[in-house]
């Protein structure tokens, strides 16, 4: 087959050249369309079900919302995991599907079960809906809308209805999440004294507003042979319309309007999140979320371009300030990859020129590099593989040109050897030279491609990370093989007709150094084998001391710092703490800007409480730093922050890394110790988690150890006294309506053109801030009541207590859990967790039925290690099978196979010299290294056998 392909190429040289010109054209077109990102998207296939239920406590959210949603989702096909978080006013249920499941099929399955969940949730407790179709890499662009003289409410209006509205039309943008500012509402702020004086209950106000904020249709009538549509308009359009709604009439028939019961105003919706920036106060931020599978480079560029056009339409003084653009990271990654590829390519070309001794031969071989890459790009684009640091950074030009080098070197040597043979044409000599080495070339390239095949069997995060790399290398190697067997002979027939008169200078120098070493080794075969065996044994002995981690970290050029406070903290106090932290961080000249996102956004894909802030620290280029490394900068930052804010906890990660970790495993740190409880209270779980955290924190290398905030949220409980309301002729709704009005009850929507605003009823701020005033809120009695007063205080018909309740309830596998999170510093992940596991097992006694799982990156490392323990022997077996099928000799195959342990020795030595722990990336590299070692040994043995 190989000889036939070579003969076809040499017999149809013009056709081969035209074919490769077409490959170049197609490759350039594919290169323009190829999705480019910094790292592969390793987020699993998951769908989030979000339910907002303002006012409900975490335990009520769990009982009335989360559990029904989990129950509805249980039993779906291809579901791998269901986990949830129940917080104040929010339920987030994450359904993880098996790898390979189509995201749209997964969402369709969820959609079909959502109605079942809605039916199980009590009326008025919220409507579950699916989150955006995005991933951990979805937040590609973040910006602030700012303007002097504009209120946070006005800026939020501009963001929601002028900026986000237009950005959603950009192809590839699935959502623009608004964060910060004040969401405008039409609000009736009730005064309890006025309610008492008019004898009007809160429920009456609700009903009056709902009845007077409607439009209806009356069909049509025929008049003068024309059809007239009938419309009844009663919608509230402005504050005056709302103020003049009649709630009731007094004994004289005088109407009591809404405005007689309190203030009618524009007021902000109750917030559970805010954004601050650079220590100057609150900010209004938009977060652009990319559609899953879209090209982040082009989407971010189009968003940036659209924002430039939107800027021209904004009111005077309002600007859009971009502080996070994924394009910057992508461009930096592309520059790194391009620099490495160019430097590698230039080095290979220089070596080729020096070793081949022919400028034309070196340039011909060098042409295989871009051509093979273009073939790879075409296949990547067709396969939906993005170009990133993993998929492109693994390409080795030395391996790519190996087949071309062998072909051209054989032609150069053959032409020189038979330079005086005039009986054959130059084309015949090229043909004969290619026939001699065609099979070894196929063998060499085949070995490399075969060792990458087991990597395609990886699953989970490591599969998403390394399968694209393996496919890209196989694509490039396939392109190089095709180029070596078709184009290289053709170009050599055109441009290598003059024989090279002597061996290259560098080759002669290396040969003079190599031959004495070879002769000495051949003279003492046993000693040579003994030394090699001893070195291999030493490498095996030191391997356990390398340590292990999942994958090396990519420097994103930014820091994601988390600020943790007590669960009882208010949003205002959280913002104040964030402001202090921002001012401390901004004192470092290495920092460009600091943005803190506290609590949750409108679309709560990240269900944080107001006690947690994600702080993005955007850095200046490293060459301008005063510090040698980011670790040194982080150490100084942490010291300054702890001095300024004692009692506040800080942890550090990177924006993409933090988001991906959370979406994959629900853990916002490198390691999460998940404690599952089959019985017991949240307080019991907290006590056990504290013991585990204390033990883990004592292990060297374990830093930023913190227990999930599950308790400590002060709660004012209004418990209806059913006997008391029965005596007074009331029902539970009369009391609950008043309770809802404390936080704000939504009673409709105000439509203003394309804008939509919530219409809510709420008690005055002074009342909400005073617990005594809350106890005396008026409960209006029905006319049939025998009470001498038209109203009674709330405390007379309900028991009012203030207690500390749950702040968050987490569930996984349909049971409660609590997590201890931590990061590992100055130590490898595997050894640190192994020591912590042993310590926890020895020192912490779990109640019966409880269990502990170690998740996060450690869980990923364990899963990947188990798969590599199977894949590495499989790769070696495949290599041996190929060797035996090539040489038909067990002895020769085993002889070549001796290169594998020596390759392992070199890899271990490289990790030791650089101070790197073993990682999954290194494991994949070892598999490739084995292939290269066998390839080189196979070519050498094949050459010896052929010459004998």
């Amino acid at each position: 087959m190989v000889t036939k392909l070579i003969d076809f190429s040499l017999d149809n040289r013009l056709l081969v050249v035209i074919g490769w010109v077409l490959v170049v054209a197609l490759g350039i077109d594919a290169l323009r369309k190829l999705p480019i990102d910094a790292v592969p998207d390793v987020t699993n296939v998951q769908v989030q079900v979000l339910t907002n239920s303002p006012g409900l406590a975490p335990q009520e959210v769990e009982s009335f919302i989360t559990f029904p949603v989990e129950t509805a989702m249980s039993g779906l096909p291809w579901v791998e995991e269901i986990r949830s978080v129940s917080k104040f006013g929010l339920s987030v249920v994450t359904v993880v599907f098996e790898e390979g499941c189509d995201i749209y099929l997964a969402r369709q399955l969820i959609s079909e079960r959502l109605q079942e969940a809605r039916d199980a949730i009590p009326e008025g407790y919220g409507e579950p809906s699916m989150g955006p179709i995005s991933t951990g890499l979805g937040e590609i662009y973040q910006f602030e809308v700012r303007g002097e003289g504009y209120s946070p409410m006005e800026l939020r209006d501009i963001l929601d209805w002028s900026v986000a509205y237009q950005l959603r039309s950009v192809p590839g943008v699935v959502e623009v999440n608004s964060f910060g500012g004040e969401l405008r509402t039409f609000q009736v702020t009730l005064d309890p004294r006025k309610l008492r004086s008019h004898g009007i209950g809160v429920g009456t106000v609700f009903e009056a507003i709902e009845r007077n904020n409607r439009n209806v249709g009356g069909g049509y009538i025929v008049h003068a042979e024309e059809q007239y549509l009938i419309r009844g308009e009663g919608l509230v359009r402005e504050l005056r319309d709302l103020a003049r709604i009649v709630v009731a009439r007094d004994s004289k028939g005088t109407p009591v309007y809404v405005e007689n019961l309190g203030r009618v105003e524009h007021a902000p919706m109750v917030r559970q999140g805010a954004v601050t920036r650079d220590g100057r106060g609150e900010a209004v931020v938009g977060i652009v979320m990319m559609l899953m599978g879209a090209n982040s480079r082009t989407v971010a560029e189009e968003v940036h371009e659209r924002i430039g056009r939107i800027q021209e339409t904004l009111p005077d003084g309002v600007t859009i300030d971009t502080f996070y653009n994924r394009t910057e990271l992508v461009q930096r990654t592309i520059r790194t990859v391009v620099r490495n590829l160019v430097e590698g390519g230039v080095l290979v070309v220089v070596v080729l020129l020096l070793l081949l001794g022919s400028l034309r031969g070196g340039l011909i071989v060098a042409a295989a590099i871009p051509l093979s890459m273009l073939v790879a790009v075409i296949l990547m684009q067709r396969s939906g593989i993005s170009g990133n640091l993993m998929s492109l950074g693994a390409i080795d030009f030395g391996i790519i040109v190996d087949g071309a080098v062998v072909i051209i070197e054989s032609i150069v040597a053959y032409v020189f050897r038979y330079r005086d043979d005039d009986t054959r044409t130059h084309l015949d000599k090229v043909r004969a030279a290619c026939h001699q080495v065609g099979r070894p070339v196929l063998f060499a390239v085949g070995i490399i491609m075969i060792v990458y095949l087991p990597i395609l069997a990886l699953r989970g995060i490591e599969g998403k990370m390394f399968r694209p790399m393996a496919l890209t290398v196989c694509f490039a190697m396939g392109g190089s093989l095709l180029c070596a067997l078709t184009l290289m002979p053709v170009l050599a027939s055109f441009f290598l007709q003059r024989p090279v008169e002597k061996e290259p200078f560098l080759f002669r120098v290396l040969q003079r150094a190599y031959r004495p070493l070879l002769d000495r080794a051949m003279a003492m075969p046993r000693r040579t084998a003994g030394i090699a065996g001893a070195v291999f044994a030493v490498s095996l002995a030191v391997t356990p001391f390398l340590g292990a981690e999942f994958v090396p970290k990519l420097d994103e050029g930014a820091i994601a710092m988390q600020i943790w406070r007590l669960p009882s903290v208010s949003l205002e106090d959280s913002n104040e703490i964030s402001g202090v932290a921002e001012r401390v961080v901004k004192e470092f000249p290495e920092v460009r800007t600091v943005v803190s996102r506290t609590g949750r956004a409108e679309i709560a894909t990240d269900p944080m409480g107001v006690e947690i802030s994600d702080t993005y620290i955007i850095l200046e280029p490293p060459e301008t730093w005063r510090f040698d490394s980011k670790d040194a900068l982080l150490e100084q930052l942490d010291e300054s922050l702890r001095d300024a804010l004692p009692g506040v906890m800080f942890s550090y990660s990177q924006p993409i890394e933090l988001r991906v970790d959370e979406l994959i495993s629900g853990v916002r740190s490198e390691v999460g110790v998940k404690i599952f409880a089959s019985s017991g209270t949240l307080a019991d779980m907290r006590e056990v988690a504290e013991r585990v955290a204390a033990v883990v924190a004592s292990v060297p290398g374990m830093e930023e150890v913190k227990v999930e905030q599950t308790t400590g949220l002060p709660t004012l409980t209004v418990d209806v006294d059913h006997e008391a309301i029965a005596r007074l002729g009331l029902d539970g709704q009369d009391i609950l309506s008043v309770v809802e009005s404390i936080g704000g009850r939504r009673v409709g929507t105000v439509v203003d053109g394309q804008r939509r605003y919530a219409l809510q009823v709420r008690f005055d701020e002074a009342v909400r801030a005073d617990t005594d005033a809350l106890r005396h809120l008026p409960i209006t009695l029905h006319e049939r009541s025998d009470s001498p007063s038209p109203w009674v205080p709330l405390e007379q018909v309900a028991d009012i207590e203030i207690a500390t309740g749950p702040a968050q309830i987490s569930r996984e596998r349909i049971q409660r859990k609590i997590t201890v999170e931590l990061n590992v510093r100055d130590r490898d992940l595997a050894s640190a967790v192994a020591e912590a596991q042993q310590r926890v097992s020895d020192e912490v006694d779990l109640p019966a039925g409880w269990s502990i799982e170690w998740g996060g990156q450690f869980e990923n490392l364990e899963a990947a290690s188990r798969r590599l323990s199977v894949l590495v022997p499989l790769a070696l077996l495949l290599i041996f099978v190929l060797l035996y099928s090539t040489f038909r000799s067990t002895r020769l195959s085993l002889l070549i196979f001796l290169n594998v342990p020596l390759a392992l020795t070199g890899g271990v030595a490289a990790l030791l010299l650089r101070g790197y722990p073993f990682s999954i990336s290194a494991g994949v590299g070892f598999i490739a290294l084995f292939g290269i070692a066998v390839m080189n040994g196979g070519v050498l043995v094949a050459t010896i056998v052929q010459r004998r």
Side-chain angles (χ1 to χ4, degrees):
M1 182 183 71
V2 174
T3 57
K4 290 181 179 179
L5 180 60
I6 294 171
D7 290 339
F8 174 83
S9 301
L10 291 174
D11 293 338
N12 301 274
R13 291 183 289 177
L14 182 59
L15 184 61
V16 170
V17 172
I18 293 174
W20 279 99
V21 170
L22 182 61
V23 168
V24 170
L26 293 174
I28 294 174
D29 180 66
L31 189 60
R32 291 190 300 104
K33 299 176 181 177
L34 183 69
I36 301 293
D37 211 329
V39 292
D41 192 343
V42 298
T43 311
N44 45 25
V45 181
Q46 63 174 246
V47 180
Q48 287 185 317
V49 180
L50 312 176
T51 310
N52 284 296
S53 186
L56 286 188
Q59 60 267 42
E60 294 164 338
V61 170
E62 179 196 32
S63 177
F64 296 123
I65 300 175
T66 302
F67 186 73
V69 172
E70 288 181 347
T71 302
M73 300 306 153
S74 298
L76 281 175
W78 305 298
V79 168
E80 192 172 80
E81 175 187 6
I82 298 177
R83 61 176 185 265
S84 66
V85 175
S86 301
K87 299 183 73 72
F88 169 66
L90 175 68
S91 166
V92 179
V93 178
T94 302
V95 184
V96 180
F97 287 81
E98 293 177 4
E99 184 177 348
C101 182
D102 181 76
I103 181 62
Y104 295 99
L105 172 60
R107 292 178 69 87
Q108 177 62 33
L109 293 171
I110 295 291
S111 178
E112 292 172 358
R113 291 287 184 93
L114 273 183
Q115 188 56 52
E116 179 182 332
R118 293 188 182 104
D119 293 341
I121 296 173
E123 185 178 355
Y125 278 28
E127 288 283 327
S129 60
M130 289 184 287
I133 314 174
S134 192
T135 69
L137 301 184
E139 296 181 357
I140 61 169
Y141 201 95
Q142 300 186 40
F143 58 89
E144 178 189 0
V145 178
R146 57 195 305 182
E148 294 293 333
Y150 290 85
S151 68
M153 186 177 293
E154 291 170 329
L155 292 174
R156 178 61 182 269
D157 271 355
I158 293 171
L159 170 60
D160 286 342
W161 303 108
S162 297
V163 181
Y165 207 77
Q166 298 184 58
L167 287 179
R168 289 189 183 98
S169 64
V170 174
V173 173
V174 68
E175 185 57 79
V176 179
N177 204 356
S178 300
F179 208 150
E182 296 177 345
L183 182 62
R184 184 188 300 272
T185 71
F186 282 63
Q187 179 171 298
V188 177
T189 306
L190 296 176
D191 186 336
R193 293 172 300 176
K194 293 181 179 180
L195 289 175
R196 286 195 293 265
S197 65
H198 287 93
I200 295 175
V202 173
T204 306
V205 179
F206 295 163
E207 294 172 4
I209 295 174
E210 290 171 348
R211 287 198 310 268
N212 288 274
N213 185 34
R214 297 178 61 214
N215 275 9
V216 298
Y220 68 90
I221 61 173
V222 177
H223 178 72
E225 299 182 354
E226 291 183 324
Q227 178 175 292
Y228 286 29
L229 299 180
I230 302 174
R231 298 174 59 233
E233 295 188 358
L235 285 176
V236 171
R237 294 187 177 86
E238 55 186 25
L239 291 177
R240 178 165 179 77
D241 296 337
L242 179 59
R244 299 303 290 176
I245 290 177
V246 176
V247 179
R249 295 181 184 275
D250 62 16
S251 58
K252 299 179 181 179
T254 304
V256 179
Y257 297 104
V258 168
E259 64 183 355
N260 300 136
L261 303 175
R263 299 189 307 276
V264 179
E265 59 189 348
H266 290 299
M269 181 71 78
V270 177
R271 299 191 301 169
Q272 282 298 309
V275 180
T276 55
R277 184 177 180 189
D278 292 337
R280 55 178 169 78
E282 290 199 39
V284 180
V285 167
I287 305 170
V288 180
M289 303 181 71
M290 181 183 70
L291 178 68
M292 178 184 290
N295 187 336
S296 66
R297 177 186 60 172
T298 58
V299 173
E301 289 173 351
E302 291 183 21
V303 167
H304 191 71
E305 180 185 354
R306 180 66 62 86
I307 280 181
R309 298 205 301 267
I310 295 173
Q311 177 67 69
E312 300 173 357
T313 67
L314 298 181
D316 293 338
V318 177
T319 59
I320 300 176
D321 181 15
T322 300
F323 61 86
Y324 181 79
N325 185 348
R326 179 71 58 77
T327 305
E328 296 177 2
L329 176 61
V330 172
Q331 289 176 345
R332 188 165 65 249
T333 304
I334 292 175
R335 285 196 296 269
T336 300
V337 172
V338 169
R339 184 178 67 249
N340 291 343
L341 292 179
V342 170
E343 291 175 355
V346 170
L347 181 62
V348 169
V349 170
V350 170
V351 171
L352 289 173
L353 294 177
L354 292 175
L355 292 180
L356 288 175
S358 168
L359 177 62
R360 291 184 179 183
L363 294 177
I364 290 172
V365 171
I369 295 176
L371 293 175
S372 301
M373 285 299 302
L374 288 175
V375 171
V377 168
I378 293 171
L379 296 175
M380 288 172 66
Q381 196 261 333
R382 295 290 190 274
S383 304
I385 299 174
S386 68
N388 53 64
L389 196 59
M390 290 296 295
S391 61
L392 295 178
I395 294 178
D396 186 340
F397 288 149
I399 301 177
I400 285 179
V401 300
D402 187 77
V405 168
V406 174
I407 290 287
I408 296 300
E409 194 276 337
S410 176
I411 293 173
V412 169
Y414 198 94
V415 170
F416 175 75
R417 187 180 308 120
Y418 296 100
R419 61 187 179 278
D420 298 328
D421 184 359
D422 296 331
T423 61
R424 290 185 294 174
T425 65
H426 176 68
L427 186 61
D428 292 333
K429 296 175 184 178
V430 169
R431 190 188 305 271
C434 293
H435 284 174
Q436 283 186 354
V437 296
R439 190 179 178 189
V441 166
L442 179 62
F443 166 82
V445 176
I447 280 286
I448 298 299
M449 296 179 70
I450 281 179
V451 298
Y452 275 99
L453 290 181
I455 299 175
L456 300 179
L458 287 171
R459 290 291 180 266
I461 299 174
E462 62 276 12
K464 289 177 176 290
M465 186 171 293
F466 294 108
R467 278 203 309 270
M469 178 205 72
L471 285 171
T472 302
V473 172
C474 288
F475 293 158
M477 293 303 298
S480 72
L481 178 61
L482 186 63
C483 182
L485 298 178
T486 59
L487 186 62
M488 292 297 107
V490 171
L491 294 180
S493 69
F494 287 139
F495 302 109
L496 293 181
Q497 298 186 15
R498 182 184 304 172
V500 178
E501 296 299 330
K502 59 181 181 180
E503 291 182 334
F505 171 76
L506 181 59
F507 188 83
R508 296 198 303 271
V509 171
L510 294 176
Q511 198 172 47
R512 283 199 297 267
Y514 169 68
R515 278 188 173 177
L517 293 176
L518 178 62
D519 293 338
R520 188 176 303 175
M522 295 294 291
M524 299 180 293
R526 292 185 178 181
R527 181 179 298 180
T528 302
I531 293 174
V535 172
F536 175 61
V538 170
S539 70
L540 290 180
V542 302
T543 297
F545 300 98
L546 287 175
E549 63 181 9
F550 182 51
V551 290
K553 293 182 180 180
L554 168 70
D555 184 4
E556 299 178 25
I559 299 170
M561 177 179 72
Q562 289 189 288
I563 307 175
W564 300 72
R565 314 162 184 87
L566 293 175
S568 57
V569 72
S570 67
L571 179 60
E572 291 72 22
D573 288 340
S574 280
N575 287 340
E576 184 177 342
I577 292 172
S578 295
V580 174
E582 290 163 6
R583 287 189 286 274
V584 170
V585 172
K586 201 68 172 64
E587 292 176 358
F588 286 75
E590 292 80 7
V591 175
R592 184 191 310 167
T593 187
V594 190
V595 181
S596 295
R597 296 170 15 181
T598 302
R600 56 183 182 258
E602 295 303 317
I603 302 174
T605 55
D606 189 1
M608 294 194 307
V610 297
E611 76 277 7
I612 304 174
S613 295
D614 280 346
T615 301
Y616 283 14
I617 304 174
I618 311 300
L619 302 174
E620 299 287 354
E623 54 268 19
T624 65
W625 294 2
R626 300 167 298 164
F627 299 91
D628 297 333
S629 65
K630 183 188 281 189
D631 289 339
L633 172 60
L634 279 176
E635 184 177 348
Q636 188 60 51
L637 267 175
D638 186 63
E639 182 179 339
S640 301
L641 287 166
R642 294 184 186 279
D643 290 342
L645 293 166
V648 178
M649 293 184 62
F650 302 91
S651 61
Y652 305 92
S653 183
Q654 301 184 99
I656 296 176
E657 180 184 350
L658 177 69
R659 187 73 180 126
V660 169
D661 284 346
E662 182 183 15
L663 283 177
I664 289 175
S665 60
V667 177
R668 303 171 66 86
S669 302
E670 291 181 3
V671 181
V673 187
K674 301 178 182 179
I675 303 170
F676 293 92
S678 59
S679 61
T681 65
L682 291 174
D684 296 333
M685 296 171 63
R686 177 79 185 185
E687 181 183 351
V688 173
E690 292 284 3
R691 295 206 307 267
V692 171
V695 173
V696 170
S698 64
V699 176
M702 297 301 198
E703 303 289 344
E704 300 150 21
V705 181
K706 51 191 175 292
V707 178
E708 179 183 344
Q709 300 279 18
T710 57
T711 59
L713 183 65
T715 305
L716 188 149
T717 303
V718 180
D719 189 5
V720 177
D721 186 338
H722 291 282
E723 292 185 2
I725 65 174
R727 288 195 304 268
L728 295 171
L730 298 170
D731 56 40
Q733 185 58 39
D734 295 323
I735 288 80
L736 297 178
S737 296
V738 173
V739 175
E740 284 183 299
S741 301
I742 298 173
R745 156 126 178 214
R746 182 167 179 166
V747 292
T749 302
V750 176
V751 180
D752 180 12
Q754 293 183 338
R755 303 185 178 193
R756 303 288 190 275
Y757 299 106
L759 198 166
Q760 67 177 2
V761 177
R762 202 177 183 198
F763 280 113
D764 187 84
E765 178 67 32
V767 177
R768 300 196 303 270
D770 186 351
T771 56
D772 289 334
L774 292 176
R775 293 177 183 275
H776 290 84
L777 287 175
I779 305 297
T780 304
L781 301 177
H782 300 163
E783 292 182 1
R784 62 181 181 274
S785 173
D786 297 331
S787 175
S789 172
W791 63 274
V792 294
L794 177 62
E795 64 180 357
Q796 187 173 322
V797 293
D799 296 325
I800 302 174
E801 296 181 354
I802 297 178
T804 299
Q808 172 176 306
I809 302 174
S810 299
R811 298 169 60 86
E812 191 172 327
R813 301 186 312 202
I814 319 297
Q815 60 180 319
R816 286 181 174 180
K817 72 169 183 180
I818 186 170
T819 305
V820 179
E821 298 185 14
L822 57 103
N823 291 318
V824 179
R825 302 276 187 251
D826 302 323
R827 187 177 178 182
D828 71 281
L829 181 67
S831 66
V833 173
E835 181 178 347
Q837 285 178 318
Q838 187 61 48
R839 293 276 301 276
V840 169
S841 176
D842 295 340
E843 301 178 27
V844 179
D845 293 326
L846 294 178
W850 290 35
S851 62
I852 289 182
E853 289 185 5
W854 296 72
Q857 289 192 19
F858 176 75
E859 184 179 14
N860 302 330
L861 173 62
E862 278 198 322
S865 299
R866 286 194 299 268
R867 294 188 180 100
L868 282 179
S869 65
V870 176
L871 295 179
V872 170
L874 178 60
L876 296 177
L877 177 61
L878 289 175
I879 291 173
F880 184 81
V881 170
L882 183 61
L883 288 173
Y884 185 80
S885 64
T886 301
F887 294 99
R888 299 296 178 181
S889 169
T890 303
R891 179 177 297 180
L892 289 179
S893 300
L894 291 175
L895 178 63
I896 298 170
F897 216 72
L898 289 176
N899 275 348
V900 170
L902 295 180
L904 175 64
T905 301
V908 170
L911 291 176
L912 281 173
L913 291 175
R914 296 300 302 271
Y916 291 158
F918 180 83
S919 64
I920 304 305
S921 302
V924 172
F926 273 114
I927 293 177
L929 189 62
F930 296 159
I932 296 172
V934 171
M935 177 191 72
N936 293 332
V939 170
L940 178 62
V941 170
T943 303
I944 294 173
V945 170
Q946 186 180 35
R947 291 187 176 181
R948 290 180 61 184

